Amino acid sequence: MIHIETRQAVIKFQLARSLFGRAFYYTSAYLVDGLLVDTGCAYTVSELLGALDGHAVHTIVNTHAHEDHIAGNAAVQERFGAAVLAHPKALPVLADPASRRLRLYQRVMWGYPAPSTGAVLGNVVETPRYRFRVIHTPGHSIDHICLFEPHEGWLFTGDAYVGGTDRALRADYNIWNILESLRKLADLDSSCLFPGSGTIRENPREELLAKIRYLEESGGRVLDLHARGWSRRRIREEVFGSEGAIAWFTMGHFSGLNLVRSYIEDRPIFRELSHTKAPPNK
Ligand SMILES: [Zn+2]
């Protein structure tokens, strides 16, 4: 299923696999001045190609190498001769997507991408009319980047910013790095935020700051209860409530317990302490 929307010079392609006539989880690709930001999942490649008819694509940038953002690379590369650019850590996944084992829910919703050939993204991506700054925003994944066009105020955030109130986290995300990346994004003078899923935001700074406040407050509560000796399960119940449908659907890959764990174990001070070796006995 595909929905197309235009905002200023940016075309948004909202893509989702449909099953039984219902769309599951939309991922967005954006086309601006010959630059395609992300390419959707394996099930929506032909719809994306159809929608790109009549347009030129010179360059593809992947915000990160998750399977719902890179699967159209190979087909678009072949049709338009476009260069694919991504963070260095994304390139091995682009070349061999099957090397990253997908879970059942990921195979059902997005499937395995076809391999594609990427090159290392520099600090800037230029199109004939625009100049995008590349901002490294790890947390959702280590290879995550965002694109910022300072003159237009456009901010393409992939999955670095996800709207709503987080009550679950994927097992391999790092909530403290997510927070740090959101702070970086909130410092930019942006006027329009184009997310990897969800609606385009016209008040990026307010939305980013509200998200940061929520995540900081939740983290403070988690760490406070942890210091008081509460179990992680009890902390989750208190701060985020019982596990939602996502924990069931992803068989625990996303869960409130993962969010509590990341707040406790991934905080920089904890990592420093746990990596510090005990001094040798004198
Ligand atoms: Zn992602």
Side-chain angles (χ1 to χ4, degrees):
M1 203 168 283
I2 183 165
H3 295 291
I4 303 173
E5 177 186 346
T6 302
R7 188 71 57 101
Q8 301 170 48
V10 181
I11 305 174
K12 176 183 185 182
F13 305 102
Q14 248 190 315
L15 303 155
R17 181 180 197 188
S18 47
L19 281 170
F20 315 112
R22 220 196 113 191
F24 284 87
Y25 196 89
Y26 283 97
T27 304
S28 297
Y30 295 95
L31 181 65
V32 51
D33 201 23
L35 167 67
L36 185 62
V37 182
D38 287 335
T39 59
C41 78
Y43 299 119
T44 55
V45 173
S46 56
E47 284 172 304
L48 178 64
L49 277 184
L52 290 173
D53 263 345
H55 294 284
V57 182
H58 304 297
T59 309
I60 297 167
V61 169
N62 293 129
T63 55
H64 60 302
H66 282 169
E67 63 283 358
D68 53 331
H69 292 258
I70 63 168
N73 286 7
V76 175
Q77 215 168 14
E78 195 187 344
R79 162 89 69 90
F80 296 93
V84 175
L85 302 175
H87 187 276
K89 288 204 159 70
L91 300 182
V93 184
L94 265 51
D96 184 12
S99 64
R100 191 178 268 177
R101 294 270 313 150
L102 298 183
R103 296 175 183 234
L104 178 63
Y105 81 94
Q106 294 170 307
R107 297 201 300 273
V108 169
M109 299 227 301
W110 303 303
Y112 279 101
S116 57
T117 307
V120 174
L121 191 60
N123 294 326
V124 167
V125 177
E126 287 193 83
T127 68
R129 291 164 60 196
Y130 306 109
R131 197 161 190 275
F132 297 85
R133 274 170 51 196
V134 175
I135 299 151
H136 187 215
T137 47
H140 178 85
S141 61
I142 190 73
D143 62 350
H144 200 292
I145 61 95
C146 294
L147 293 179
F148 177 55
E149 214 295 337
H151 294 292
E152 301 295 333
W154 296 332
L155 184 55
F156 294 86
T157 54
D159 289 342
Y161 169 81
V162 181
T165 308
D166 306 60
R167 299 196 178 282
L169 195 76
R170 208 171 95 167
D172 56 342
Y173 295 177
N174 179 319
I175 194 64
W176 293 106
N177 289 349
I178 287 175
L179 249 172
E180 198 52 42
S181 292
L182 288 169
R183 289 190 194 106
K184 257 191 224 178
L185 297 177
D187 280 344
L188 301 170
D189 189 14
S190 62
S191 57
C192 200
L193 184 152
F194 300 92
S197 65
T199 53
I200 296 169
R201 315 279 168 156
E202 303 281 5
N203 299 307
R205 251 182 79 77
E206 285 80 353
E207 304 243 13
L208 288 162
L209 290 173
K211 184 85 176 181
I212 290 166
R213 266 197 308 276
Y214 166 73
L215 292 178
E216 283 176 344
E217 280 169 19
S218 304
R221 290 177 67 200
V222 167
L223 293 180
D224 179 47
L225 296 172
H226 176 64
R228 288 201 244 155
W230 284 37
S231 74
R232 293 181 182 191
R233 212 166 284 274
R234 203 170 149 220
I235 295 172
R236 183 211 60 205
E237 278 307 312
E238 176 71 15
V239 182
F240 305 112
S242 301
E243 296 290 3
I246 193 167
W248 173 83
F249 182 66
T250 63
M251 293 193 262
H253 202 204
F254 279 86
S255 71
L257 218 46
N258 288 338
L259 184 51
V260 171
R261 183 210 55 75
S262 185
Y263 271 126
I264 294 169
E265 291 182 10
D266 292 337
R267 76 201 135 124
I269 185 72
F270 182 93
R271 272 150 60 202
E272 269 167 38
L273 288 174
S274 59
H275 290 144
T276 306
K277 286 186 186 141
N281 290 330
K282 286 185 181 164

